[in-house]
Amino acid sequence: MSNLSNKIRIIDIARMAGVSPGTVDRVLHNRGEVSEEKRTKILSIIDDIQYQPNILARSLARKKTLRFASLLPEYHPGEYWEAPEKGIDKAQTEIRNYNIVLEKLYYNQFNVQSFVSVSEKLLNTNPDAVLLTPTFRNEAAALMGQLHTRNIPGVYIDSNAEDDYYLSYFGQHSYQSGYAAARLLENGLPHGSEVLIVRTIRTAGASSNQTQRREEGFMAYFQEKNLANKYHFIHVKLSADDHTGNLKEIEKVFKKSPGIRAAIVFNSRVYQLADIFKKLGTTGMKLIGYDLSGDNVSCLKNELVSFLIAQRPEDQGYQGIMALCNRLVFNKEIKRINYMPIDILTRENIDYYVNYID
Amino acid sequence: MSNLSNKIRIIDIARMAGVSPGTVDRVLHNRGEVSEEKRTKILSIIDDIQYQPNILARSLARKKTLRFASLLPEYHPGEYWEAPEKGIDKAQTEIRNYNIVLEKLYYNQFNVQSFVSVSEKLLNTNPDAVLLTPTFRNEAAALMGQLHTRNIPGVYIDSNAEDDYYLSYFGQHSYQSGYAAARLLENGLPHGSEVLIVRTIRTAGASSNQTQRREEGFMAYFQEKNLANKYHFIHVKLSADDHTGNLKEIEKVFKKSPGIRAAIVFNSRVYQLADIFKKLGTTGMKLIGYDLSGDNVSCLKNELVSFLIAQRPEDQGYQGIMALCNRLVFNKEIKRINYMPIDILTRENIDYYVNYID
DNA sequence: TAATGCGCCGTGTGCGCACACGAAAATAAA
DNA sequence: TTTATTTTCGTGTGCGCACACGGCGCATTA
């Protein structure tokens, strides 16, 4: 279960192999300049004794400071993107001791060109490792390809551009989270109820890949359970900024379909719908949304929202950075796809969830 | 937002104060033998420049290997206590580089005397830090007192003996978790339904403090929402081992109260009740329980159990050890009471929760 | 006055490793 | 054979810190 402290040092290996520490060092770092004969001998010894380098000494002695970079959307306080950055900051303080610095870059999530230009800037700094969010899939994949040719490891968080070159991905299984949301919504909902399904349209005009997958998972639940014909689903598209227009739209929908008992929004803007419900005086509505922005948490506490589905964004940021560190410093194996837990938050458990993050 | 790498070393402080590195070292470690004048001067400089020691160098140079000890219940594979130990193991591999070893001790959770004797053994090894679970509150508190007199920091996980001497506690807010469970149970449950509330009695005869608190929180929900009279609550006590007796007992209850639509068990033995329901052919029952033992997870996946409330036991173990490390190695401030998130698990999100732990 | 003790302080060493430098050995070119 | 070149290897230094040791100056005692 536990082997005692592996106190075998480079110099011990050197003695066993009848060479100098420098030679062992060259083998360990693949720096060449070692005869094949000694090389294989040293390698076999290393393998035999299961040599584990002392990471502390290694980092302390390393001349080069590793430079990590992150590339995230700009945000206002209280918005979703604050969370991953929090995790990144936490990781940063932990790895600073290992002679690693982190430079944070930001792009405008509503402007592709912004992402591209910051990408170039990032490449020019020639970092040792990169963490980014592929809001713009193609452009992100292009960047990842560039990084790959330069042998710079990169990780995605939040969503996945699904190219061939990223080291690791940390994010939610969107489909399954929609499936889980469906279960919560359906539970206790009388058959025959009408269900409002809201999509928020980005300025660009299309909804994100992530929200699409969530909706697919959501609908799949009802299909698989043969419940699709027990409820009536009403799909509505809302604008990201035209609040009065949205209000009117929802009002119209309610006039047509007064039997609506539940609603779901597949992104973090559920608080906007809650606001509309409040203005319209709608009560007794089961409302489900995603992610813990400040507004969403308020709605949950006021019981305007019944459930929020969360995806541990802080963990995504933290683990993303740590994966890079594990790769470059600790030489550990990195799991490529890492789905985060699908967390279910209610008014009753939210306090112990948000306070848990520090 | 981010200050660059604090490259200020002890020798820099020494120069600023016009003393030698050794003197600064004495101040940093409160070893005395420094004049009050220089002491205050050095301290003010340290404060000014926000000196952060290089943990790597510190651990590398430290002569003494720190010895941590854990004291957990014995368990069989798949049982609850496997989880905290997993977290402890994870922490162990992380801190091994810091010149720390961990010795794991176990007691029989159904035998006070076992706990006491292992406690003594633990004290005799004279560890530098201790993590333990206070299954036996008084005896655990006594041990913690002993540790305190020897100036050995100790943390509790799982539950809290609530003495004055522990450094830190990691566990669930039992009351609130019961409250959250009530919400899940009540949601969609027709008024007038009967609700079965099960207590499992330990060999000792009493139910644990933790389960009592959970039940309090559970009942409080209905009181606060003025729902207490909308449902009929049926309290049943089951034995921890007499399965046939339990079966008969539940059968009797159902005969008397055929309107039971939901049930809750306040500990990890919900799978036993699910088993009874299965044998009795009971269907359409909403069943809620606690913790992710292998059996419970199976029940959740088979839809015999609707919800499981979990408390991140791996995190408790991991963070408990890390707290000790933060205290002794990193000199960080430790939060004393740390409530874990109240996680809600369903068939739909369980996979991404359990796989998340590696 | 010399001897002893104590408070205070500086210096030296080594933790395990990365990396630069230069030397030796082997080989190629003259 | 001599010289130049390449391959292969050993040694030395320092990363930032903890800690042991010894020394200086001053007060106390014999």
Side-chain angles (χ1 to χ4, degrees):
Chain A
M1 204 140 186
S2 65
N3 50 347
L4 289 180
S5 48
N6 292 13
K7 283 295 179 191
I8 300 175
R9 301 157 297 169
I10 284 183
I11 195 168
D12 298 319
I13 299 173
R15 277 201 265 267
M16 293 184 225
V19 297
S20 78
T23 304
V24 177
D25 178 74
R26 261 167 240 125
V27 172
L28 280 172
H29 293 83
N30 280 319
R31 290 214 207 87
E33 306 191 1
V34 176
S35 69
E36 195 51 38
E37 180 199 10
K38 302 203 173 180
R39 194 181 122 83
T40 48
K41 181 165 188 181
I42 290 170
L43 279 177
S44 83
I45 291 177
I46 286 174
D47 193 56
D48 276 2
I49 62 168
Q50 292 260 43
Y51 170 67
Q52 294 286 90
N54 184 320
I55 309 291
L56 278 65
R58 172 170 286 188
S59 300
L60 190 61
R62 184 155 31 88
K63 291 279 192 295
K64 187 168 173 283
T65 41
L66 292 176
R67 294 183 306 109
F68 287 12
S70 71
L71 185 47
L72 300 176
E74 298 163 349
Y75 62 88
H76 300 288
E79 285 184 353
Y80 175 76
W81 294 106
E82 197 171 10
E85 177 152 6
K86 218 171 192 171
I88 289 173
D89 287 341
K90 189 184 168 202
Q92 183 181 17
T93 65
E94 271 188 33
I95 65 179
R96 221 188 38 193
N97 283 317
Y98 292 98
N99 208 357
I100 299 173
V101 296
L102 170 66
E103 187 181 7
K104 295 191 274 191
L105 300 174
Y106 302 90
Y107 62 91
N108 180 337
Q109 59 179 310
F110 304 109
N111 181 350
V112 190
Q113 190 48 46
S114 146
F115 181 87
V116 174
S117 69
V118 181
S119 289
E120 284 171 16
K121 206 163 117 189
L122 182 142
L123 281 171
N124 287 335
T125 68
N126 198 30
D128 296 297
V130 174
L131 173 144
L132 70 143
T133 53
T135 309
F136 306 104
R137 276 175 75 102
N138 296 336
E139 290 74 13
L143 172 58
M144 192 60 81
Q146 290 280 320
L147 293 171
H148 183 255
T149 61
R150 302 177 191 209
N151 208 18
I152 301 169
V155 317
Y156 290 129
I157 65 167
D158 191 63
S159 64
N160 191 344
E162 288 174 348
D163 53 86
D164 295 333
Y165 300 124
Y166 65 94
L167 170 70
S168 193
Y169 159 66
F170 294 86
Q172 198 172 55
H173 193 296
S174 306
Y175 180 95
Q176 190 67 22
S177 79
Y179 196 90
R183 154 71 186 274
L184 295 173
L185 185 132
E186 193 260 340
N187 187 275
L189 190 69
H191 286 180
S193 301
E194 290 173 297
V195 176
L196 187 65
I197 296 176
V198 176
R199 276 213 203 166
T200 322
I201 300 305
R202 272 204 256 158
T203 324
S207 58
S208 78
N209 198 273
Q210 204 178 37
T211 54
Q212 282 177 36
R213 294 271 170 85
R214 287 172 180 168
E215 188 168 338
E216 285 167 28
F218 182 83
M219 296 310 295
Y221 177 88
F222 293 94
Q223 293 292 339
E224 288 178 18
K225 303 270 178 179
N226 286 323
L227 290 166
N229 55 349
K230 305 280 186 195
Y231 302 100
H232 183 52
F233 299 99
I234 300 161
H235 295 263
V236 176
K237 294 187 184 183
L238 295 187
S239 150
D241 29 34
D242 180 13
H243 297 193
T244 46
N246 289 342
L247 180 65
K248 282 182 188 163
E249 176 72 17
I250 296 292
E251 199 168 10
K252 212 167 62 186
V253 169
F254 267 101
K255 216 161 268 175
K256 228 190 250 174
S257 313
I260 294 177
R261 288 285 164 273
I264 184 161
V265 181
F266 290 106
N267 61 24
S268 62
R269 299 189 208 279
V270 64
Y271 68 94
Q272 292 178 353
L273 187 61
D275 193 51
I276 291 174
F277 283 177
K278 198 176 174 186
K279 279 180 182 152
L280 294 177
T282 316
T283 63
M285 181 75 60
K286 185 187 261 191
L287 184 50
I288 298 184
Y290 278 75
D291 296 329
L292 302 189
S293 70
D295 289 326
N296 282 356
V297 171
S298 299
C299 287
L300 196 68
K301 290 193 178 179
N302 297 335
E303 304 189 61
L304 294 171
V305 167
S306 304
F307 292 100
L308 285 175
I309 309 292
Q311 51 177 322
R312 306 206 191 167
E314 304 82 6
D315 257 20
Q316 292 181 28
Y318 176 78
Q319 296 203 43
I321 294 291
M322 294 314 276
L324 293 169
C325 184
N326 280 331
R327 169 58 178 270
L328 292 179
V329 179
F330 296 88
N331 248 325
K332 277 196 211 160
E333 277 300 302
I334 310 293
K335 209 170 140 195
R336 190 145 194 260
I337 298 212
N338 302 273
Y339 290 120
M340 313 303 288
I342 296 165
D343 287 324
I344 299 169
L345 284 316
T346 70
R347 180 173 177 271
E348 289 74 24
N349 71 352
I350 182 70
D351 278 336
Y352 296 96
Y353 189 81
V354 295
N355 290 332
Y356 187 63
I357 309 147
D358 47 32
Chain B
M1 207 142 185
S2 65
N3 50 347
L4 289 180
S5 49
N6 291 14
K7 283 294 181 192
I8 300 176
R9 300 155 299 170
I10 284 183
I11 195 166
D12 297 318
I13 299 173
R15 277 200 264 267
M16 292 186 227
V19 298
S20 78
T23 305
V24 177
D25 178 75
R26 261 167 241 124
V27 173
L28 280 172
H29 294 83
N30 282 319
R31 290 215 208 86
E33 306 192 1
V34 177
S35 68
E36 194 51 37
E37 180 198 10
K38 301 203 173 180
R39 196 182 121 82
T40 48
K41 181 164 187 181
I42 290 170
L43 279 177
S44 82
I45 292 177
I46 287 174
D47 194 56
D48 275 2
I49 63 170
Q50 293 259 41
Y51 170 67
Q52 293 285 88
N54 184 321
I55 309 291
L56 277 65
R58 173 170 285 187
S59 300
L60 190 62
R62 184 155 30 88
K63 293 280 192 294
K64 187 169 174 279
T65 33
L66 292 175
R67 293 182 307 107
F68 287 11
S70 71
L71 186 47
L72 301 176
E74 298 163 350
Y75 62 88
H76 299 289
E79 284 184 353
Y80 176 76
W81 295 106
E82 197 171 11
E85 176 153 6
K86 219 172 194 171
I88 289 173
D89 287 341
K90 189 184 167 200
Q92 183 181 18
T93 64
E94 272 188 34
I95 64 180
R96 221 189 37 193
N97 282 318
Y98 293 99
N99 209 358
I100 300 173
V101 297
L102 171 68
E103 188 181 6
K104 295 190 276 191
L105 301 174
Y106 303 90
Y107 62 90
N108 180 338
Q109 58 179 310
F110 304 109
N111 181 349
V112 190
Q113 190 47 47
S114 145
F115 181 88
V116 173
S117 69
V118 181
S119 291
E120 283 170 18
K121 206 163 117 189
L122 182 141
L123 282 171
N124 287 336
T125 68
N126 197 32
D128 296 295
V130 173
L131 174 143
L132 70 141
T133 53
T135 309
F136 305 103
R137 275 175 75 101
N138 297 336
E139 289 73 12
L143 172 57
M144 192 59 81
Q146 290 280 322
L147 293 172
H148 183 254
T149 61
R150 301 178 192 208
N151 207 18
I152 301 169
V155 316
Y156 290 129
I157 66 168
D158 191 62
S159 63
N160 192 343
E162 289 174 349
D163 54 87
D164 296 332
Y165 300 124
Y166 65 93
L167 170 70
S168 194
Y169 160 67
F170 294 86
Q172 197 171 57
H173 193 296
S174 306
Y175 180 95
Q176 190 67 23
S177 79
Y179 196 91
R183 154 72 186 273
L184 295 173
L185 186 132
E186 192 260 339
N187 187 276
L189 191 68
H191 286 181
S193 302
E194 290 174 297
V195 176
L196 187 64
I197 296 177
V198 177
R199 275 211 204 168
T200 322
I201 300 305
R202 272 204 256 159
T203 325
S207 57
S208 78
N209 197 273
Q210 203 178 37
T211 54
Q212 282 177 37
R213 295 272 170 86
R214 287 171 180 170
E215 189 167 339
E216 286 168 27
F218 182 83
M219 297 309 295
Y221 177 89
F222 294 93
Q223 294 292 341
E224 289 179 18
K225 303 268 178 182
N226 287 321
L227 291 165
N229 55 349
K230 304 281 187 195
Y231 303 101
H232 184 55
F233 298 99
I234 300 160
H235 294 262
V236 176
K237 294 188 185 184
L238 295 187
S239 150
D241 31 32
D242 180 12
H243 296 194
T244 46
N246 290 343
L247 180 65
K248 283 182 187 164
E249 175 72 18
I250 296 292
E251 200 168 10
K252 211 167 61 185
V253 169
F254 268 101
K255 217 162 266 175
K256 227 191 254 177
S257 312
I260 295 177
R261 289 284 165 273
I264 185 161
V265 181
F266 290 108
N267 62 24
S268 63
R269 298 190 209 278
V270 63
Y271 68 93
Q272 292 178 354
L273 186 61
D275 194 52
I276 291 174
F277 283 177
K278 198 176 174 186
K279 279 179 182 153
L280 293 178
T282 316
T283 62
M285 181 75 58
K286 186 187 259 191
L287 185 49
I288 298 184
Y290 278 75
D291 295 330
L292 302 188
S293 70
D295 289 327
N296 282 356
V297 171
S298 299
C299 287
L300 196 67
K301 290 192 178 180
N302 298 335
E303 304 189 61
L304 295 170
V305 168
S306 304
F307 293 100
L308 286 175
I309 309 289
Q311 50 176 324
R312 306 207 190 167
E314 304 82 5
D315 257 21
Q316 292 181 30
Y318 176 78
Q319 296 202 43
I321 294 292
M322 293 315 274
L324 294 169
C325 184
N326 281 331
R327 169 58 178 269
L328 292 179
V329 178
F330 296 88
N331 247 323
K332 277 196 211 158
E333 277 301 303
I334 310 294
K335 211 169 139 195
R336 190 145 195 260
I337 300 213
N338 302 272
Y339 290 121
M340 312 304 288
I342 297 164
D343 286 326
I344 299 170
L345 284 317
T346 71
R347 180 173 177 272
E348 289 75 22
N349 70 352
I350 182 70
D351 278 337
Y352 296 96
Y353 188 81
V354 297
N355 290 333
Y356 188 64
I357 309 146
D358 46 31

